[in-house]
């Protein structure tokens, strides 16, 4: 399966504006792992999850097929970044205590990745995947964003996006599922931060490429009318879905 590169062109924007995941998610993952030696963060992007895992595990190997994404990744002494696909990793058999996939599983050749994860995960180790859906702010802003998401750039989303829209419903993990608590994913952003996030969307980039036109100025004007003072921060909420399973010991 050829690597689907939807983010290299806007890698620096992606690194700056992609939302971070809640700390209690990583606390929970660390508690589920019976050992905290090695965590493998798959399709790490610019390393949002890898950095959080590095605070809780002795070593993190973070793999990512995009060189541009890795060039923008946050460095830590115990993070080993490797440019390689999810389906063919250079990790040793049975070496990982935890494998994580954040907002990326829908891009994989799933059977090939699950085979590779089974090889790399040690007995008793945990595989965890998660995704987030379209954010919400308030009724007025949500309506404008929904029109942009479904209307303006709607035709430019890749078909794999449907997995996020359904919160990975129907995903079959290879081992017995772990009961996962509810996690809250929220950040306080001003208008420019929100627009930076919209700029990081793959559909925004594809719209620009195919139509030779930037759709963001128009939505900025619409959002500004509903937002108020642009520097004012508002709470941005994303529905976060987490699924996890444990390999038999």
């Amino acid at each position: 399966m050829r690597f689907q590169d939807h983010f290299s062109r806007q890698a620096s924007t992606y690194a700056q504006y992609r939302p971070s995941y809640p700390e209690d998610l990583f606390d929970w993952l660390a508690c589920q792992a019976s050992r905290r030696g090695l965590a493998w963060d798959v399709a790490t992007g610019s390393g949002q999850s890898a950095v959080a895992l590095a605070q809780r595990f002795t070593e993190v190997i973070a793999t990512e097929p995009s060189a541009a994404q890795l060039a923008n990744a946050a460095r830590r002494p115990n993070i080993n970044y490797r440019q390689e696909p999810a389906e063919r990793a250079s990790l040793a058999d049975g070496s990982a205590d935890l494998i994580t996939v954040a907002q990326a599983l829908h891009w994989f050749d799933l059977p090939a990745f699950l085979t590779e994860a089974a090889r790399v995960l040690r007995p008793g180790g945990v595989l965890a995947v998660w995704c987030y859906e379209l954010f919400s702010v308030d009724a007025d802003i949500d309506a404008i964003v929904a029109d942009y998401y479904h209307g303006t750039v709607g035709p430019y989303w890749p078909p794999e996006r449907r997995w996020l829209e359904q919160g990975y419903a129907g995903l079959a993990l290879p081992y017995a599922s772990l009961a996962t608590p509810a996690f809250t994913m929220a950040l306080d952003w001003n208008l420019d931060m929100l627009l930076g996030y919209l700029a990081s969307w793959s559909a925004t980039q594809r719209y620009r490429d195919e139509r030779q036109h930037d759709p963001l100025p128009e939505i900025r004007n619409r959002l500004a009318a509903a937002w108020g003072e642009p520097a004012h921060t508002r709470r941005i909420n994303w529905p976060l879905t987490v699924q996890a399973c444990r390999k038999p010991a």
Side-chain angles (χ1 to χ4, degrees), residues 218-234:
E218 179 182 353
I219 190 176
R220 180 188 176 86
N221 291 337
R222 295 181 63 194
L223 285 171
W227 193 277
E229 171 56 44
H232 176 68
T233 60
R234 290 178 177 267

Side-chain angles (χ1 to χ4, degrees), residues 116-127:
E116 189 70 339
R119 180 187 68 79
V120 172
L121 197 62
R122 72 167 186 83
V126 171
L127 167 64

Side-chain angles (χ1 to χ4, degrees), residues 14 41 43-53 62 69-70 72-74 79 81:
Y14 186 101
D41 186 42
T44 193
S46 51
Q48 290 98 331
S49 295
V51 169
L53 292 169
Q69 286 277 47
L70 291 177
N72 287 276
I79 301 178
Y81 287 107

Side-chain angles (χ1 to χ4, degrees), residues 112-156:
F113 167 69
L114 293 179
T115 297
E116 189 70 339
R119 180 187 68 79
V120 172
L121 197 62
R122 72 167 186 83
V126 171
L127 167 64
V129 305
W130 60 89
C131 67
Y132 55 87
E133 303 167 51
L134 186 63
F135 64 87
S136 63
V137 182
D138 63 27
D140 292 338
I141 293 171
D142 291 355
I144 296 168
V145 172
D147 183 56
Y148 180 79
Y149 179 93
H150 295 288
T152 304
V153 300
Y156 299 93

